[in-house]
């Protein structure tokens, strides 16, 4: 019985992240539009876009290989599995021990790897441009992410997210400088990984500065839908990650009752909404960087991560 | 077991002699490679049996070699791990060579040396006295040198061979010093005697440093790596695979044998140079791989990276051991050993791929290839497995060893020295950088060779490689997947070796649910490659099925959109140089990267030129001055060749006086 409930909860988590992800993207777009005094598309627009793309024909470049057709599903699957392993409304789910934070980052790395390969497959200059820039950004974001993981693991004593949540939600933590630095580092990494302003512009088309959009330029129809869905899942994943590590309050503990789970779900929704609005405000208030300024931006995250770790060596209570 | 392993090594050497007599026979190549594959399988079996039965050491002494010493041979758990690596790598590469070797124009330049090279490597891991060890080590170096010179008519190959010979000689000489110091004044060259002696901390540090230099020069540690990216690619591809995939592991074995077995405890600060050199080697190696334009050289540079990662793990194990944290030392050493094994798997696979591409197209410059996924679909798929594994992506095997290493790094706060506490997280950052750069490097490698459109006619007309090569590659690719999905098996397999070296081991993994890896019992960090694979497969398959079932399955072909420039010339694709541009610019300082643009004056129709140039600072700053110095000194000493007999006699007399005076003062 316990096993069945565990499996159901894990299944619910997978469906919840999948169902909410386009909504989050829609919310961010809506708020951004309102901040620019535009009316903006409704929050449900991404769902409609996905349905529309799903129904359309795929127009495949003449030179595209099987890798190009398989990649969208690989990217989607890797991102979905990663998103399903981040605690959203409850911790200690059936399979939460499958992968720790490092494995989660690597899973997203797999998704990026296949996206970059797919970008190079059609044999166009834009695809290669996007792929090479994406790998450069990834190469700088990953060490920053790992140092952030390091800081968190030093505080919480584990890289397993469920353990981290339990520890941070307990009274033993208090306010720590190192966690603050780690938060800033993680936000910078999240912006870069999700191709948000100031690193990349998710709304851009036909611009030499674009990264993510250049890679997926040749995609259409259901393939594009899977990639867009994966992108919004990734955004949700990072928000859930920031939420569960730094504001874990409300998440239902392992073997919580129905009330605890409902509270967890409500608090997760609230966190997503707040995160989405904050992202929109942030993106509206700054400009996009030149591509070769991005290393400085990510270098800051790297330094903050390292600083957070070093502070902990100076004193475990910082 | 040692008798079996030793006779296999002897079998390899005998096969070499037989091969010498087979010159000109059409079946020589198939016979030699087939027999090598069988012998290698035997060696793999011997290694595995020794490990599974708990790794009890077996010993034998042969009445050859130095008269008062004999040749001591010993197969313990540590030797068995590396014997298994040599066996597995040798078997796969020999099977590949049955097909690949047919393309060789001058097989008599490869066949006599190839089995002997395998045999010499086997002897290195079996040797249990310094004389046998160094003799086998030097034989291994010389035979591989002969193999590097297979295509000796090319100027580049000759240069590579010379550089390799010099570096190999230097490495062996340094190792000789290290063993001499361990043996002491009485000259007890038996490993058992060295093990029994208590070495002082200063001596231990010196020996460790010398061993790191000696073994590191063979493995490709910075700054002794300069020969590797020229020598490994110069050899025929199956030999490159053997050198990069297997011989570097034998070099690692030399370091592990001395550092963890013969030497006894070393002071903690000696782990610092090992860790730092390892991490720097990892980052620099993969940076060079990222900017190089030659397929095989990219792979060779990536070997340097992986060796750096393994050395960092070994250094970490030394640091933990110096602090009496045997369990954590065991974790780091396990990570190192498993990474060595994994690297053998995927690097051999990728060199085989490079060889298959070379055979199919005749080119190994990345910019002359492209679009091979259409022409060589099977090779392309196997190459995809290889690049995914080497880029440390779950659920394949490369990720497992990196994950284990990161788990060890995360335990570094328990170290008691503040220096190490500060250092290790920074090293963790460097290793993460190396891993991410490896992904960038292999997207470029795979993307430029296999994806996109063909850049040359030969790439356009390539044909799939032969069945032997394909099955050897498929075997290694399967093992890459297998080792990634059930990593606990590997951890348990190398556990006897770790226990032998450190007296402690990583907790038993066999009983864990779903093949989950739980390396440190009380920390509860876990990773299950099996479940990750199952989840990704299910969710990917399910979503593909649902989409095709419920939404749309229609598809049509059209010219690529490319922002409105369809059917542009294939040279407008991103190539090796352009893909590397962002990383080359970001890392311009360490790569000494320069870009020059020459624009024709207005009105002139000459083409504008853009050239990018990077250099290896170790080569320009260390080696070139050193070579200049040696050359100048040799020119000066040259005068000594043309003296009169009187002057020679007075020189001899003078040195005799000098030596005797020195001896008197010493006494």
């Amino acid at each position: 019985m316990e096993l069945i409930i565990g499996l159901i909860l894990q299944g619910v988590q997978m469906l919840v992240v999948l169902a909410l992800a386009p909504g989050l993207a829609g919310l961010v777009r809506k708020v951004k539009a309102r901040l620019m005094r535009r009316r903006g598309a409704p929050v449900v627009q991404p769902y409609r876009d996905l349905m529309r793309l799903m129904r359309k024909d795929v127009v495949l470049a003449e030179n595209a290989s099987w890798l190009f057709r398989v990649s969208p599903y690989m990217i989607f699957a890797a991102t979905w599995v990663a998103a399903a392993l981040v605690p959203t409304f409850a911790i200690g789910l059936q399979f939460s021990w499958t992968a720790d934070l490092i494995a989660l980052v690597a899973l997203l790395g797999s998704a990026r790897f296949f996206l970059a390969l797919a970008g190079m497959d059609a044999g166009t200059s834009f695809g290669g441009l996007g792929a090479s820039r994406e790998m450069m950004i990834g190469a700088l974001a990953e060490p920053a992410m790992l140092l952030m993981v390091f800081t968190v693991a030093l505080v919480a004593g584990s890289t397993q997210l469920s353990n981290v949540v339990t520890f941070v939600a307990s009274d033993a933590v208090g306010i720590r400088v190192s966690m603050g630095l780690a938060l800033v580092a993680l936000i910078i990494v999240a912006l870069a990984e999700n191709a948000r302003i100031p690193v990349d512009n998710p709304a851009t088309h036909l611009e030499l500065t674009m990264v993510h959009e250049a890679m997926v330029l040749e995609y259409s129809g259901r393939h594009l839908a899977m990639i867009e869905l994966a992108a919004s899942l990734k955004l949700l994943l990072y928000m859930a990650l920031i939420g569960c590590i730094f504001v874990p309050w409300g998440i239902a503990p392992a073997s919580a009752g129905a009330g605890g789970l409902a509270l967890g779900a409500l608090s997760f929704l609230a966190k997503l909404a707040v995160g989405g609005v904050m992202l929109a405000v942030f993106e509206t208030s700054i400009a996009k960087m030149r591509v070769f300024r991005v290393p400085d931006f990510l270098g800051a995250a790297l330094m903050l991560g390292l600083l957070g770790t070093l502070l902990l060596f100076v004193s475990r209570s910082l | 077991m040692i008798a079996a392993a030793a006779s296999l090594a002897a079998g390899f050497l005998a096969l070499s002699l037989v091969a010498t007599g087979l010159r000109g026979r059409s079946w020589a190549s198939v016979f030699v490679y087939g027999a090598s594959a069988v012998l290698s399988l035997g060696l793999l079996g011997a290694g595995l049996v020794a490990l599974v039965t708990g790794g009890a050491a077996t010993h034998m002494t042969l009445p050859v070699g130095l008269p008062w010493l004999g040749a001591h041979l010993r197969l313990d758990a540590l030797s068995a791990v590396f014997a298994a690596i040599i066996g597995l790598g040798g078997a796969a590469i020999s099977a590949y060579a049955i097909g690949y070797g047919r393309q060789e124009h001058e097989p008599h330049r490869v066949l006599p040396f190839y089995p002997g090279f395998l045999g010499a490597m086997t002897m290195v891991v079996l040797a249990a006295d310094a004389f046998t060890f160094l003799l086998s080590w030097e034989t291994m170096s010389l035979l591989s040198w002969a193999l590097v010179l297979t295509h000796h008519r090319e100027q580049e190959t000759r240069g590579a061979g010379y550089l390799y010979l010099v570096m190999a000689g230097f490495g062996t000489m340094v190792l000789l010093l290290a063993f001499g110091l361990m043996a002491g004044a009485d000259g007890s060259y038996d490993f058992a005697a060295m093990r029994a002696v208590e070495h002082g901390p200063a001596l231990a540090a010196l020996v460790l440093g010398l061993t790191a230099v000696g073994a590191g020069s063979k493995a490709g540690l910075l700054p002794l790596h300069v020969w590797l990216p020229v020598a490994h690619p110069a050899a025929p591809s199956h030999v490159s695979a053997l050198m990069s995939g297997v011989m570097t592991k034998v070099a690692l074995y030399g370091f592990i044998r001395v550092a963890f077995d013969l030497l006894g405890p070393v002071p903690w600060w000696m782990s610092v140079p090992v860790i730092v050199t390892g991490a720097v080697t990892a980052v620099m190696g993969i940076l060079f791989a990222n900017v190089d334009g030659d397929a095989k050289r990219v792979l060779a540079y990536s070997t340097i990276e992986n060796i750096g990662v393994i050395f960092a793990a070994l250094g970490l194990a030394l640091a933990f051991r110096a602090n009496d944290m045997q369990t954590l030392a065991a974790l780091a050493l396990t990570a190192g050993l498993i990474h060595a094994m994994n690297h053998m798997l995927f690097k051999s696979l990728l060199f085989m791929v490079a060889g298959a591409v070379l055979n199919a197209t005749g080119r190994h410059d990345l910019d002359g290839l492209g679009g091979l996924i259409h022409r060589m679909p099977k090779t392309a798929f196997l190459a995809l497995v290889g690049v995914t594994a080497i880029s440390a992506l779950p659920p394949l095997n490369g990720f497992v060893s990196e994950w284990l290493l990161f788990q060890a790094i995360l335990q570094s706060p328990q170290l008691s020295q503040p220096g190490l506490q500060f250092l290790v997280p920074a090293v963790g950052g460097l290793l993460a950088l190396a891993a991410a750069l490896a992904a960038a490097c292999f997207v470029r490698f795979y993307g430029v060779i296999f994806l996109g459109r063909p850049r040359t006619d030969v790439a356009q007309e390539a044909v799939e490689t032969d069945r032997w090569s394909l099955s050897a590659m498929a075997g290694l690719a399967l093992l890459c997947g297998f080792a990634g999905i059930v990593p606990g098996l590997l951890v348990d397999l190398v556990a006897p070796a770790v226990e032998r070296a450190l007296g402690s081991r990583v907790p038993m993994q066999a009983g864990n649910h779903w093949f989950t890896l739980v390396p440190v019992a009380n920390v509860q960090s876990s990773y299950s490659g099996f479940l990750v694979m199952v989840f990704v497969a299910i969710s990917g398959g399910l979503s593909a099925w649902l989409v095709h079932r419920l939404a749309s399955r229609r598809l049509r072909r059209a010219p690529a959109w490319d922002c409105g420039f369809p059917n542009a010339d294939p040279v407008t694709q991103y190539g090796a140089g352009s893909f590397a541009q962002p990383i080359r610019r970001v890392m311009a300082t360490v790569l000494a990267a320069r870009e020059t643009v020459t624009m024709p004056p207005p009105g002139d129709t000459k083409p504008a030129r853009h050239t990018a140039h990077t250099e290896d600072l170790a080569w320009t700053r260390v080696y070139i001055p050193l070579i200049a110095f040696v050359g100048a000194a040799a020119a000066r000493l040259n005068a000594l060749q043309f003296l009169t007999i009187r002057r020679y006699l007075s020189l001899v007399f003078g040195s005799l006086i000098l030596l005797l005076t020195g001896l008197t003062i010493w006494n």
Side-chain angles (χ1 to χ4, degrees):
Chain A
M1 192 59 207
E2 216 168 88
L3 180 73
I4 295 172
I5 292 180
L7 284 176
I8 290 176
L9 277 180
Q10 184 70 57
V12 168
Q13 152 109 356
M14 289 195 88
L15 292 178
V16 161
V17 290
L18 191 61
L20 287 181
L24 178 63
L27 176 74
V28 176
R29 279 187 219 164
K30 179 79 180 171
V31 176
K32 267 174 89 173
R34 295 300 301 161
L35 286 170
M36 295 173 188
R37 309 286 288 165
R38 286 189 286 120
R39 189 172 296 146
V43 176
V44 293
Q45 189 61 37
Y47 296 98
R48 292 184 193 154
D49 288 345
L50 286 176
M51 293 310 288
R52 177 175 53 89
L53 283 172
M54 288 280 185
R55 279 199 298 268
K56 286 203 162 198
D57 284 11
V58 165
V59 182
L60 207 58
E62 269 154 5
N63 185 58
S65 66
W66 57 267
L67 187 64
F68 192 78
R69 297 173 62 183
V70 172
S71 287
Y73 303 105
M74 295 281 291
I75 294 159
F76 170 73
T79 318
W80 194 21
V81 170
L85 294 172
V86 178
T88 53
F89 61 90
I91 58 166
L93 292 179
Q94 191 66 29
F95 290 115
S96 61
W97 42 264
T98 301
D100 67 345
L101 201 44
I102 298 174
L104 222 111
V105 175
L107 258 178
L108 292 176
S110 300
R112 178 186 20 243
F113 190 81
F114 278 93
L115 189 60
L117 284 183
M120 297 192 76
D121 190 41
T124 60
S125 41
F126 274 101
L129 178 143
S132 94
R133 289 180 176 178
E134 172 81 2
M135 293 319 284
M136 180 265 283
I137 293 173
L140 297 170
E142 251 175 49
M145 182 77 182
L146 192 91
L147 285 174
M148 193 287 300
V149 172
F150 226 96
T151 312
V152 172
L154 282 181
V155 172
S158 171
T159 49
Q160 212 69 24
L161 275 170
S162 286
N163 299 346
V164 173
V165 171
T166 316
F167 184 83
V168 179
S170 69
D171 297 332
V173 186
I175 292 179
R176 290 181 184 234
V177 183
S178 54
M179 287 296 265
L181 297 177
L183 174 63
V184 179
L186 181 57
I187 289 175
I188 293 179
V189 171
L191 288 171
E193 290 274 354
N194 285 295
R196 311 303 302 193
I197 296 175
V199 175
D200 192 5
N201 187 350
T204 183
H205 279 290
L206 296 191
E207 239 190 286
L208 275 172
T209 50
M210 63 193 183
V211 180
H212 180 265
E213 291 297 323
M215 277 189 292
V216 305
L217 198 62
E218 300 299 327
Y219 272 115
S220 56
R222 55 180 183 270
H223 294 159
L224 186 59
M226 296 314 282
I227 286 180
E228 298 272 320
L229 192 55
S232 51
L233 266 173
K234 197 168 166 186
L235 181 63
L236 180 119
L237 182 157
Y238 271 95
M239 290 229 177
L241 197 60
I242 294 171
C244 82
I245 296 178
F246 298 99
V247 273
W249 296 281
I251 293 185
S255 67
L261 289 174
L263 182 68
L266 278 180
S267 70
F268 178 59
L269 279 178
K271 281 178 212 167
L272 277 190
V274 172
V277 171
M278 280 166 64
L279 175 64
V281 172
F282 177 76
E283 280 200 297
T284 333
S285 54
I286 55 163
K288 192 189 160 314
M289 283 178 190
R290 282 196 302 129
V291 169
F292 286 104
R293 290 284 306 281
V294 172
D296 301 344
F297 186 57
L298 285 169
L302 200 71
M303 284 301 123
L304 286 173
L306 194 60
L307 207 59
T309 315
L310 294 185
L311 272 181
L312 284 172
F313 285 118
V314 176
S315 161
R316 294 308 286 272
S317 59
L318 275 170
Chain B
M1 225 32 347
I2 178 66
S7 31
L8 285 166
F12 279 124
L13 298 174
L15 187 61
S16 253
L17 293 179
V18 173
T20 322
L22 292 180
R23 182 169 178 168
R25 308 283 164 85
S26 58
W27 44 269
S29 151
V30 174
F31 170 73
V32 170
Y33 290 130
S36 301
V38 172
L39 288 173
S40 302
L41 277 181
L43 186 63
L44 170 66
L48 287 182
V49 168
L51 281 176
V52 171
T53 52
T58 43
H59 190 106
M60 70 190 280
T61 313
L62 296 178
V64 290
L66 295 182
W68 64 92
L69 185 67
H72 292 265
L73 300 178
R74 190 161 183 270
L75 185 72
D76 62 5
L78 192 58
S79 315
V81 169
F82 285 87
I85 290 180
I86 298 173
L88 183 54
I93 293 165
S94 304
Y96 171 82
I98 294 177
Y100 182 82
R102 287 193 204 129
Q103 318 283 335
E104 191 59 57
H105 299 301
E106 297 176 295
H108 58 274
R109 293 204 176 274
V110 185
L111 293 181
F113 307 117
Y114 180 86
F117 180 35
L118 279 169
M121 290 197 285
T122 316
M123 286 301 291
V124 171
V125 299
L126 294 181
D129 67 84
F131 181 76
T132 317
F133 182 90
L134 287 171
L135 187 70
S136 318
W137 183 279
E138 192 57 18
T139 315
M140 168 180 91
S141 297
L142 288 177
L143 288 175
S144 56
W145 170 75
L147 287 165
V148 166
L149 282 180
T150 304
H151 302 141
H152 62 110
R153 292 203 171 79
E154 287 157 32
Q155 178 65 36
E156 266 180 35
T157 308
R158 287 204 293 274
Y162 181 66
L163 184 59
Y164 178 33
L165 196 62
V166 171
M167 293 302 288
F170 169 74
T172 313
M173 187 190 78
V174 174
L175 277 182
L176 186 70
L177 282 178
F179 279 113
L181 282 176
M182 270 195 294
D186 325 332
S188 48
Y189 291 111
D190 188 359
F191 279 179
M194 289 184 187
R195 211 174 280 132
V197 177
E198 195 86 1
H199 303 284
L203 184 73
L206 187 58
V207 171
L208 190 75
L210 288 173
T211 317
V213 170
S217 74
K218 175 89 25 215
L221 216 52
L222 229 66
L224 304 162
H225 66 287
V226 287
W227 63 275
L228 197 150
V230 287
H232 283 198
S237 296
H238 61 293
V239 178
S240 311
L242 210 52
M243 289 177 78
S244 246
V246 182
M247 189 177 72
T248 52
K249 308 304 164 311
V250 177
L252 284 172
Y253 165 80
F255 181 77
I256 296 174
R257 175 60 77 193
V258 172
F260 290 92
D261 184 22
L262 302 181
L263 200 52
V266 287
W268 70 267
W269 49 265
M270 268 317 285
S271 66
V272 174
V274 180
I275 298 176
V276 171
T277 319
V280 172
T281 302
V283 173
M284 290 312 293
I286 200 65
L287 273 177
F288 289 130
N290 258 300
V291 294
D292 204 279
D294 180 286
K296 286 175 82 176
R297 232 177 9 240
V298 168
L299 295 178
Y301 275 123
S302 139
T303 297
I304 296 177
E305 181 233 338
N306 283 285
I307 291 298
V309 172
I310 298 171
F311 261 93
L314 297 179
L316 206 57
L318 284 175
F320 282 125
R321 190 182 65 169
N323 280 289
D324 281 326
M325 299 171 184
Q326 304 296 349
T327 336
L328 294 177
L331 175 60
L333 185 59
T334 307
L337 286 178
I338 293 188
H339 198 70
M341 208 176 269
N342 287 340
H343 180 246
M344 182 273 289
L345 291 175
F346 46 64
K347 189 48 63 68
S348 306
L349 170 60
L350 287 173
F351 262 115
M352 290 179 186
V353 167
V357 169
L358 181 62
N359 260 350
T361 62
R363 304 194 65 143
H364 46 86
D365 54 324
L366 293 173
D367 277 331
L369 300 164
L372 289 181
I373 196 170
H374 302 287
R375 308 292 308 174
M376 308 172 74
K378 290 174 191 149
T379 309
F381 177 76
L382 297 171
L384 184 62
V385 177
V387 293
T388 323
I390 201 170
S391 307
L393 299 176
L396 291 171
N397 60 348
F399 176 68
V400 172
S401 30
E402 297 254 354
W403 186 80
L404 282 173
L405 179 53
F406 282 131
Q407 294 302 330
I409 288 174
L410 284 168
Q411 301 303 318
S412 62
Q414 299 186 30
L415 291 167
S416 48
Q417 294 83 10
L420 279 173
Q421 287 185 348
F422 282 109
L423 176 73
V424 178
V427 163
L430 282 180
L431 291 179
L433 179 66
L437 283 172
C441 168
F442 283 98
V443 165
R444 170 171 172 272
F445 178 83
Y446 191 82
V448 177
I449 294 181
F450 288 102
L451 304 178
R453 288 171 292 156
R455 292 179 179 79
T456 51
D457 293 340
V458 279
Q460 177 93 52
E461 284 143 21
V463 282
E464 184 59 273
T465 188
D466 62 281
R467 289 217 187 116
W468 279 105
S469 305
L470 279 177
S471 41
M473 290 192 274
L476 288 183
L478 264 179
L479 284 173
C480 281
F482 181 72
I485 291 166
V486 286
L489 209 63
L490 280 189
V491 172
D492 287 345
L493 196 65
V494 301
V498 175
E499 196 152 24
R500 166 93 193 63
L502 295 165
S504 173
R505 56 164 289 175
V506 172
M508 187 84 168
Q509 304 291 324
N512 294 344
H513 296 293
W514 303 108
F515 309 111
T516 309
L517 209 52
V518 189
V520 193
N522 53 351
V523 179
Q524 299 165 347
S525 289
S526 57
Y527 163 71
S528 166
F530 175 75
L531 277 183
V532 167
M533 196 240 359
V534 168
F535 285 161
V536 171
I538 289 181
S539 48
L542 197 68
S543 58
W545 182 72
L546 277 177
V547 165
H548 281 86
R549 180 83 208 209
L550 300 177
S552 152
R553 54 192 313 156
R554 288 190 305 273
L555 185 139
R556 63 197 159 84
R557 294 268 180 180
W561 157 235
D562 201 17
C563 279
F565 295 95
N567 296 329
D569 193 273
V571 295
T572 61
Q573 297 176 86
Y574 254 52
S578 35
F579 194 93
Q581 184 232 20
I583 288 173
R584 197 175 57 226
R585 279 211 189 161
V586 172
M587 302 287 177
T589 351
V590 282
L591 287 170
R594 285 193 308 275
E595 291 184 31
T596 47
V597 181
T598 44
M599 291 293 270
D604 198 335
T605 51
K606 272 193 304 199
R609 294 213 168 272
H610 171 263
T611 47
H613 179 79
T614 56
E615 63 191 34
D616 186 344
L617 286 176
W619 180 252
T620 49
R621 296 278 164 84
V622 180
Y623 283 84
I624 288 187
L626 193 68
I627 292 167
F629 171 74
V630 171
R636 281 287 173 83
L637 291 174
N638 198 16
L640 290 180
Q641 280 192 340
F642 307 103
L643 301 182
T644 58
I645 187 83
R646 266 180 307 140
R647 291 207 172 162
Y648 277 125
L649 284 178
S650 40
L651 269 182
V652 170
F653 185 67
S655 22
L656 198 65
I657 297 286
L658 208 68
L659 283 174
L660 285 176
T661 323
L663 207 63
T664 325
I665 294 169
W666 180 267
N667 285 336

